Amino acid sequence: MTIAESLPLVESHVNPEIIFPEGEFWSDEPPWESNLNLQQIILLIQCLEWWWREREDYFTAGNLTIYYSPNQKKSEFCRGPDFFVVLGTNPNPNRRSWVVWQEEGKYPNLIIEILSDSTAKVDREEKKQIYQDIFRTPDYFWFDPESLEFEGFTLISGQYQPITPNAQGRLWSQQLGLYLGLFANKLRYFTPEGELVPTPAEAAQQAETQVEHERQKSAKLAAKLRELGINPDENL
């Protein structure tokens, strides 16, 4: 087990001395730069929601503004990560944004940015610094769907340290309890045992395949019994 795999989950808290504004805060993010980026984020959300389908203690979203300062302006550190996960909260899907001071001071436990030509420099530098120093987000990853560049960092003693890939080139997320890595040129989740976390459609297909396998197995057994002069229907 690596250092990153043994780190505890991290929670953040709002400074009670700061007076925060009330009211609704709408997300204010630019549209996706490409369909490739959009499909990647949908994939991450769908797979995690399927894998955690029995859980009611997390929130995940894509391209949703995070408000964390009472004086925040769009030009001043207003950040909507491409994909993020907050643990220890309710899964309310109707949030119009993530407002830290209205969410018990919670910041994302994990953030993934999807790189593009216009955002890569900001994602690697400015956003990384904000996520490290202000958000204190424990796990930060970025992925380029074009070049397949993939890197991850975990917060250790207040500083992001690179996550060392395993033998398969996957990076461990302590916050998710899963690996992230490439499969068919997409960023996907993998279990600690190395199994691919499926999409809902893949999971349904796997279930159908298993049912068909069991049907064929039963049919072969029945045929063998008939060869031996045994009527399988009479022995049910």
Side-chain angles (χ1 to χ4, degrees):
M1 179 178 291
T2 67
I3 293 177
E5 290 175 296
S6 63
L7 290 174
L9 302 184
V10 177
E11 291 190 4
S12 303
H13 299 282
V14 168
N15 184 343
E17 298 178 359
I18 299 176
I19 299 176
F20 294 95
E22 299 295 332
E24 291 187 316
F25 294 80
W26 292 78
S27 185
D28 184 21
E29 299 303 314
W32 301 105
E33 295 197 17
S34 73
N35 188 58
L36 193 60
N37 288 31
L38 173 60
Q39 292 301 318
Q40 175 62 74
I41 298 307
I42 291 174
L43 183 62
L44 289 170
I45 293 174
Q46 286 183 336
C47 290
L48 189 64
E49 288 182 341
W50 184 89
W51 186 247
W52 283 355
R53 59 196 179 278
E54 303 298 329
R55 293 182 58 166
E56 294 290 335
D57 63 346
Y58 78 98
F59 174 75
T60 185
N63 206 35
L64 195 72
T65 298
I66 294 177
Y67 292 98
Y68 60 92
S69 166
N71 301 313
Q72 187 170 321
K73 298 178 182 178
K74 183 61 183 176
S75 61
E76 298 175 350
F77 311 130
C78 181
R79 289 292 173 255
D82 288 332
F83 172 82
F84 68 91
V85 179
V86 183
L87 302 177
T89 189
N90 69 75
N92 178 11
N94 297 320
R95 289 179 172 95
R96 297 185 173 94
S97 63
W98 184 266
V99 185
V100 170
W101 60 89
Q102 295 178 357
E103 300 284 356
E104 301 180 353
K106 295 181 182 296
Y107 286 84
N109 292 73
L110 172 141
I111 289 174
I112 300 175
E113 294 288 2
I114 307 302
L115 302 183
S116 64
D117 291 341
S118 65
T119 67
K121 187 176 188 300
V122 172
D123 292 337
R124 295 190 186 105
E125 299 175 6
E126 182 182 346
K127 280 193 171 184
K128 181 185 176 186
Q129 201 71 34
I130 291 171
Y131 298 157
Q132 172 186 279
D133 298 338
I134 299 177
F135 285 25
R136 314 296 290 167
T137 292
D139 287 348
Y140 176 46
F141 301 86
W142 65 59
F143 173 64
D144 188 327
E146 296 284 353
S147 68
L148 305 185
E149 174 187 343
F150 174 48
E151 294 192 42
F153 305 85
T154 192
L155 199 64
I156 299 177
S157 299
Q159 300 291 319
Y160 274 143
Q161 302 297 330
I163 299 174
T164 302
N166 67 3
Q168 292 74 39
R170 299 166 189 160
L171 305 183
W172 176 254
S173 168
Q174 174 67 19
Q175 301 300 302
L176 300 183
L178 296 168
Y179 283 101
L180 288 111
L182 301 186
F183 178 82
N185 291 341
K186 299 291 186 182
L187 186 61
R188 299 288 298 267
Y189 307 109
F190 296 83
T191 69
E193 297 73 31
E195 297 295 324
L196 178 70
V197 173
T199 65
E202 290 169 344
Q205 181 60 51
Q206 290 172 5
E208 290 179 7
T209 300
Q210 181 63 28
V211 168
E212 177 61 19
H213 174 75
E214 293 299 327
R215 188 195 67 77
Q216 293 180 6
K217 183 177 178 181
S218 297
K220 290 180 180 179
L221 176 59
K224 186 65 176 178
L225 290 174
R226 291 189 180 94
E227 290 177 2
L228 297 174
I230 301 173
N231 185 345
D233 296 330
E234 295 178 354
N235 291 273
L236 292 176

